Amino acid sequence: MKQNYIASIGLLLLRIAVGVMMIHHGQEKLADPQQFADTYVASLHLPFPLFFAYAAGLSELIGSWLLIFGVFAPLGALAITGTMAVAAFQHILTGGFNIYVLELVALYLGGSIALLLTGPGLFSLDALLIRLLPAKASQAVSDGFDLSEDNSSLAYVKIND
């Protein structure tokens, strides 16, 4: 039990660090989306670069807040993971494997993938919502399932075979 709390503190710190730092990047993109589209998105030869500039900025901004509060955290982590994967591809395409260009993107990408795979932890609104769903738990028990908690995600384990 103690290890779950320690791991959840680590996940909380990771969520806050990635979320707070990514807010700045999302705001920067949305402050001048045309400049971002011309500078970065156009080099990827994607159609509708302005649309993708807004999508990147909103993904980073909204995904950051979802991570910070730990509400719908997997969606927030997925949004940031997607944006950072495209950013890593763009940096590799235009600058090669330059560690000084890739290091920040790699850190954000790694942190968001870790949160996507592990979940937000016990100290999140997602975990609180799961604990406050007694109707779901009683329904699961009446259906012959055991409700167990693993890193604040809902897992149903069949107990009657």
Side-chain angles (χ1 to χ4, degrees), residues 11-140:
L11 291 170
L12 173 65
L13 293 173
L14 182 60
R15 284 191 353 251
I16 291 172
V18 170
V20 168
M21 295 294 108
M22 286 302 297
I23 286 173
H24 163 73
H25 293 285
Q27 288 175 332
E28 191 175 73
K29 287 172 182 65
L30 294 175
D32 192 355
Q34 187 64 55
Q35 186 271 335
F36 179 75
D38 294 341
T39 305
Y40 295 101
V41 181
S43 67
L44 294 170
H45 305 292
L46 293 172
F48 314 112
L50 189 58
F51 168 79
F52 285 108
Y54 275 107
L58 289 171
S59 293
E60 290 175 356
L61 191 62
I62 294 169
S64 294
W65 285 110
L66 293 177
L67 282 183
I68 290 169
F69 290 111
V71 63
F72 302 115
L75 292 176
L78 183 62
I80 292 174
T81 297
T83 303
M84 290 297 99
V86 173
F89 177 74
Q90 192 273 344
H91 288 313
I92 291 168
L93 187 68
T94 58
F97 287 96
N98 182 340
I99 189 65
Y100 298 107
V101 174
L102 288 174
E103 66 184 342
L104 189 58
V105 172
L107 287 170
Y108 289 137
L109 180 60
S112 62
I113 289 173
L115 290 167
L116 182 62
L117 296 176
T118 61
L122 298 173
F123 305 118
S124 65
L125 289 177
D126 284 347
L128 178 65
L129 291 172
I130 288 171
R131 287 192 293 270
L132 295 177
L133 291 174
K136 192 73 157 174
S138 63
Q139 178 66 35

